[in-house]
Amino acid sequence: MNNPLLAPFNTAFESIPFSIIKNEDYQTAFETALIWAKNDIQAICQQTEKPTFENTIEALELSGETLNKVSAVFFNLLHAETNEQLQKTAQIISPLLSEFSNDIRLNPILFDKIQQVYDEKDSLGLTAEQLRLLEKKYKSFTRNGARLEEEDQVRLRAIDKDLAKLTLDFGENVLAETNAFELHLTDKNDLEGLPSYVIEEAKKEAESKGKNMGWVFTLQAPSYLPFVTYAKNRALRQQMTLAYGKRAFQDNVHNNENIVQKMAELRLERANLLGFNTHADFVLEERMANAPKIVLDFLDDFVQKAREFGERDVNELKAFAKQLDGIEDFERWDHAYYAEKLKQEKYSYAEEDLKPYFSLGKVVQGAFQIAQKLYGLHFNIRNDIDKYHEDVQVYEVLDENNNHLALFYADFFPRKGKKAGAWMTSFREQSRVQGQEKRPHISIVCNFTKPTEKTPSLLTFNEVTTLFHEFGHALHGILADSTYQSLSGTNVYHDFVELPSQFMENFCYEAEALALFAAHYETQEIIPQSLIDKVKNAAQFMEGYQTIRQLSFGLLDMAWHAQNPLLIDTVEEFEQKALASTDLYAPMKGTNMSVAFSHLFNGGYSSGYYSYKWAEVLDADAFAYFKENSIFNPEIAKKFKHLLASGGSVDPMELYEHFRGKKPDNRALLKRAGFI
């Protein structure tokens, strides 16, 4: 068989041979793999033996192996290294995958066999993990239409097919709008305030776009964020901020207003078909916070605690801007600029003071060292393993006994075919079924400033915490030690999955950890304690504002998914109303967040954005435990490693209580934020 995606990967650790896979291979690979996966399901349905855990539940878990492999490669590249041909393939394949998923979940013969096993679960002598897999498989059917009448099942299939296409359309529109905008400057005076590395990168961007002179700034994070933070020219900051806020909200073919409304309506209809009041009710049934009221009470409680601190932060900035530059009409596009100025004045340091101590290579090695001190891991670069882009680095991860544990792919720089933001993903997840051990292939994808001829890639402190955040997710996957793939690694409740990532961010504030990697890229001087103290003292700077901002995202999510979207007149008015209790600035006319909110409409976080703040309660409480006993305490690290390795094979609250010895409470987070 000539298609490399359909053959075994005869490579080191069965890694993906990216260099021999062609764009045209994906569609034929999907078509063939779908046939094989359907045959797997048919074999389960046609067996005449009494349904058992092994011949039904475990067989279902192992079905579609090639389809899962092809999907992992394709959809990861669709986000990290896309092109027009991949996008066209996605439009063809996504509805077929949605239809196949429904073919499984709505198969009455298959569900009857699962029901028989489920009904006898208490007498089967199953292990705790087998019982959890059985519960998960059973619920995946009952929660997705197995008990519906035929007419409703037909409608469910149509909804899922439409949602699959709308999700792709949404993401393509946001990417197209992000790539379409450029701010081309030719007057050097317009660069005042911008750091040299930003100017140098903008010059390279202009040259790459065929401009003979000047500098080009884009809406990609490494260009956009420094510009609105440092550019003195207020009118240009406004232009950039408005351009960012107008993505997919303009009168053109990439407008997402109808798409988000249609997606919300279809999600509601789907939930109603399945017996739930709202999409949020459906989603939250499988979360630690298992009802919309719990989430809304959680968010509202934090709004009440943080609102006055958010208002205080903004008022302080307004007064500072008026005193410094006579600004009377303080606006959103002024916030980052004056916040950075005020931080410099209050704490006597600027982000630019920190960047020389955070060269990307050193930070990555520091993250590796921390993983070694906590969990005994070693990361060895492997130049012999294929990769999908020259910027990607591949590492083999070894445990404390030098046994192979995982492959780790690191993709750090922006490019035209890469989605904005940062995320962790996997090309292969861990499992250990029927004596066959599969170790994971984990990846993190970010968008940091590229190195120049003069300097390495230097990270802002926010980018350092972003890297540690995604590395925390990666460790969750790397350390996975479950039997079944669907219970392995990050396959946990969404409001638990952010605990490992946010936990790792805490090390960025600790002198003992910073000493491992925060060294000046020119002099190799370790970051001075005085600067560390300033960073720690500034940790609560604008925390009220940041907390309110994050809570607003969760409330907007719940507004879309915990009520009836059919009552929406316009997306703009709806969003403004949803954000009224958290808006610390007047809305910017002609902008909208919902239409570019990829977490909700293209990233699997619908009815789940609250989980970032929910997990902050967990991570603050967990790190407080370490701080009480030293941040590299081996016994506590061993317990946290068990939490990571267990994945979704154990109830998350049970896992947390086993680690912490008690239920979590929010005092550590409130204290960290400066609210108590």
Side-chain angles (χ1 to χ4, degrees):
M1 191 167 292
N2 294 326
N3 193 316
L5 287 161
L6 296 174
F9 293 161
N10 294 316
T11 54
F13 313 112
E14 299 180 332
S15 56
I16 301 164
F18 291 106
S19 60
I20 65 171
I21 299 172
K22 302 180 180 64
N23 287 336
E24 53 267 28
D25 290 331
Y26 287 107
Q27 185 170 337
T28 54
F30 270 117
E31 290 168 351
T32 302
L34 274 166
I35 293 172
W36 293 352
K38 289 175 182 178
N39 290 340
D40 289 344
I41 299 301
Q42 189 175 13
I44 299 172
C45 293
Q46 290 179 344
Q47 63 190 1
T48 56
E49 298 86 358
K50 179 183 177 181
T52 65
F53 177 86
E54 288 73 21
N55 69 23
T56 301
I57 306 304
E58 197 166 83
L60 181 59
E61 171 75 2
L62 295 173
S63 67
E65 181 179 9
T66 301
L67 181 60
N68 291 336
K69 180 177 75 172
V70 175
S71 296
V73 180
F74 176 78
F75 286 104
N76 278 317
L77 264 61
L78 186 67
H79 288 135
E81 184 60 11
T82 195
N83 56 57
E84 190 173 327
Q85 189 168 354
L86 290 188
Q87 291 176 351
K88 287 180 179 177
T89 301
Q91 292 284 356
I92 296 168
I93 292 301
S94 290
L96 298 180
L97 294 175
S98 176
E99 184 178 355
F100 172 64
S101 179
N102 278 324
D103 283 345
I104 294 174
R105 294 182 302 204
L106 301 178
N107 184 319
I109 298 173
L110 181 59
F111 179 61
D112 180 63
K113 290 178 178 290
I114 293 170
Q115 182 78 61
Q116 290 182 56
V117 179
Y118 185 80
D119 288 343
E120 298 180 2
K121 65 180 186 295
D122 295 333
S123 62
L124 297 177
L126 301 177
T127 67
E129 188 174 350
Q130 288 174 328
L131 185 59
R132 195 158 177 86
L133 181 68
L134 173 56
E135 295 272 3
K136 183 171 184 173
K137 295 297 184 190
Y138 179 73
K139 279 190 172 182
S140 74
F141 279 74
T142 58
R143 282 171 49 80
N144 288 285
R147 290 177 172 151
L148 292 179
E149 298 294 330
E150 185 176 350
E151 181 181 348
D152 288 336
Q153 288 188 352
V154 170
R155 179 57 190 151
L156 186 70
R157 287 175 180 272
I159 291 172
D160 286 345
K161 188 174 182 179
D162 289 345
L163 281 171
K165 184 179 188 311
L166 290 168
T167 298
L168 287 172
D169 292 343
F170 178 96
E172 289 177 9
N173 286 340
V174 174
L175 182 62
E177 290 277 276
T178 301
N179 289 336
F181 176 85
E182 63 178 48
L183 177 66
H184 182 208
L185 301 180
T186 55
D187 186 346
K188 196 169 185 178
N189 293 324
D190 290 333
L191 306 177
E192 186 176 357
L194 291 171
S196 59
Y197 79 91
V198 177
I199 295 172
E200 189 177 347
E201 191 63 29
K203 186 72 174 175
K204 287 172 60 178
E205 184 70 21
E207 292 169 355
S208 73
K209 292 178 178 291
K211 313 285 187 187
N212 294 325
M213 59 184 296
W215 305 264
V216 168
F217 298 89
T218 72
L219 299 181
Q220 297 286 355
S223 180
Y224 172 76
L225 291 176
F227 193 93
V228 297
T229 302
Y230 297 109
K232 186 174 182 181
N233 189 314
R234 191 184 186 209
L236 293 177
R237 291 201 312 271
Q238 177 183 6
Q239 185 179 345
M240 287 286 280
T241 303
L242 289 173
Y244 193 86
K246 287 180 177 179
R247 291 177 306 155
F249 196 59
Q250 302 179 83
D251 187 15
N252 60 29
V253 295
H254 300 303
N255 186 292
N256 271 341
E257 289 177 83
N258 289 335
I259 288 178
V260 296
Q261 279 195 267
K262 187 64 177 176
M263 287 183 71
E265 290 168 7
L266 288 172
R267 285 169 172 174
L268 174 66
E269 184 184 355
R270 188 181 193 281
N272 291 164
L273 271 176
L274 295 167
F276 295 88
N277 289 330
T278 67
H279 177 68
D281 285 282
F282 169 76
V283 170
L284 294 171
E285 186 187 51
E286 290 285 278
R287 300 291 186 266
M288 294 178 77
N290 59 11
K293 185 178 187 307
I294 294 174
V295 172
L296 289 168
D297 286 349
F298 171 77
L299 294 172
D300 289 339
D301 179 59
F302 259 97
V303 170
Q304 293 299 317
K305 289 181 169 71
R307 175 85 195 194
E308 65 175 289
F309 295 97
E311 291 172 345
R312 180 196 64 185
D313 289 346
V314 171
N315 289 335
E316 185 179 18
L317 273 190
K318 288 180 177 179
F320 177 71
K322 183 176 181 180
Q323 175 191 344
L324 193 66
D325 291 325
I327 301 294
E328 296 282 355
D329 55 337
F330 195 85
E331 299 285 357
R332 288 180 191 267
W333 48 83
D334 298 315
H335 183 98
Y337 178 77
Y338 285 102
E340 180 61 23
K341 292 282 188 186
L342 181 58
K343 184 165 69 174
Q344 291 179 35
E345 180 173 294
K346 291 182 74 167
Y347 304 103
S348 302
Y349 89 93
E351 285 290 341
E352 288 306 296
D353 297 334
L354 293 175
K355 284 174 69 81
Y357 294 97
F358 294 129
S359 60
L360 176 59
K362 287 274 192 182
V363 176
V364 170
Q365 290 303 316
F368 291 168
Q369 284 182 270
I370 290 170
Q372 191 275 323
K373 290 172 77 71
L374 289 170
Y375 313 122
L377 305 185
H378 301 276
F379 291 75
N380 296 333
I381 198 159
R382 293 290 300 254
N383 294 317
D384 59 325
I385 291 178
D386 212 346
K387 50 196 183 182
Y388 57 87
H389 191 275
E390 61 182 8
D391 287 345
V392 178
Q393 295 284 358
V394 188
Y395 301 84
E396 181 185 4
V397 189
L398 305 174
D399 67 14
E400 60 269 32
N401 298 314
N402 286 326
N403 298 313
H404 173 78
L405 204 59
L407 288 182
F408 175 61
Y409 295 76
D411 180 0
F412 289 128
F413 304 121
R415 51 185 175 266
K416 187 176 180 181
K418 184 194 282 192
K419 190 173 75 169
W423 62 94
M424 168 267 179
T425 185
S426 60
F427 289 104
R428 184 173 82 175
E429 295 181 300
Q430 179 269 338
S431 64
R432 186 176 55 255
V433 185
Q434 298 176 355
Q436 185 179 9
E437 174 82 18
K438 288 189 176 181
R439 293 309 305 169
H441 300 171
I442 303 298
S443 174
I444 62 173
V445 187
C446 303
N447 282 277
F448 299 145
T449 302
K450 296 190 76 167
T452 68
E453 294 177 3
K454 299 178 182 178
T455 60
S457 175
L458 299 177
L459 305 185
T460 66
F461 188 70
N462 184 60
E463 288 174 328
V464 174
T465 59
T466 295
L467 191 153
F468 269 69
H469 180 102
E470 300 308 333
F471 187 62
H473 282 310
L475 290 172
H476 205 176
I478 288 167
L479 289 167
D481 188 25
S482 300
T483 304
Y484 301 107
Q485 177 179 307
S486 63
L487 298 176
S488 177
T490 57
N491 290 307
V492 299
Y493 287 170
H494 254 188
D495 48 9
F496 190 66
V497 77
E498 295 300 336
L499 165 61
S501 54
Q502 292 176 185
F503 168 80
M504 282 300 295
E505 293 183 39
N506 289 282
F507 289 93
C508 300
Y509 296 89
E510 298 298 322
E512 191 178 352
L514 287 167
L516 299 173
F517 64 89
H520 197 286
Y521 77 98
E522 291 178 319
T523 67
Q524 304 309 310
E525 173 201 8
I526 297 295
I527 190 170
Q529 184 63 45
S530 59
L531 199 49
I532 294 174
D533 291 340
K534 290 175 182 179
V535 172
K536 295 181 76 169
N537 291 336
Q540 295 176 356
F541 179 67
M542 291 290 135
E543 184 60 30
Y545 169 80
Q546 294 296 345
T547 296
I548 288 292
R549 183 170 178 269
Q550 188 177 30
L551 293 169
S552 74
F553 299 161
L555 288 169
L556 180 60
D557 175 18
M558 295 304 288
W560 276 109
H561 297 117
Q563 59 188 31
N564 188 350
L566 296 172
L567 303 177
I568 297 173
D569 290 324
T570 69
V571 171
E572 186 172 20
E573 289 178 9
F574 168 77
E575 178 171 295
Q576 289 177 11
K577 184 177 179 181
L579 297 177
S581 68
T582 55
D583 234 338
L584 299 173
Y585 291 106
M588 295 188 299
K589 188 172 178 57
T591 68
N592 188 265
M593 181 183 176
S594 297
V595 295
F597 201 166
S598 295
H599 273 75
L600 303 194
F601 297 103
N602 186 230
Y605 268 78
S606 62
S607 301
Y609 202 89
Y610 77 93
S611 61
Y612 284 102
K613 185 57 69 177
W614 182 276
E616 272 192 67
V617 172
L618 301 178
D619 94 69
D621 189 59
F623 199 72
Y625 187 26
F626 275 87
K627 288 273 284 182
E628 291 162 9
N629 299 275
S630 95
I631 63 171
F632 294 118
N633 182 285
E635 291 304 313
I636 299 176
K638 184 178 180 181
K639 291 198 288 184
F640 200 73
K641 183 179 181 180
H642 171 75
L643 178 149
L644 296 173
S646 298
S649 64
V650 181
D651 178 81
M653 188 57 79
E654 183 182 333
L655 266 181
Y656 189 84
E657 287 188 57
H658 180 267
F659 156 71
R660 188 66 167 95
K662 68 179 186 66
K663 289 186 181 295
D665 65 60
N666 64 15
R667 283 191 62 81
L669 177 58
L670 294 174
K671 183 178 179 181
R672 187 173 74 185
F675 299 162
I676 58 173

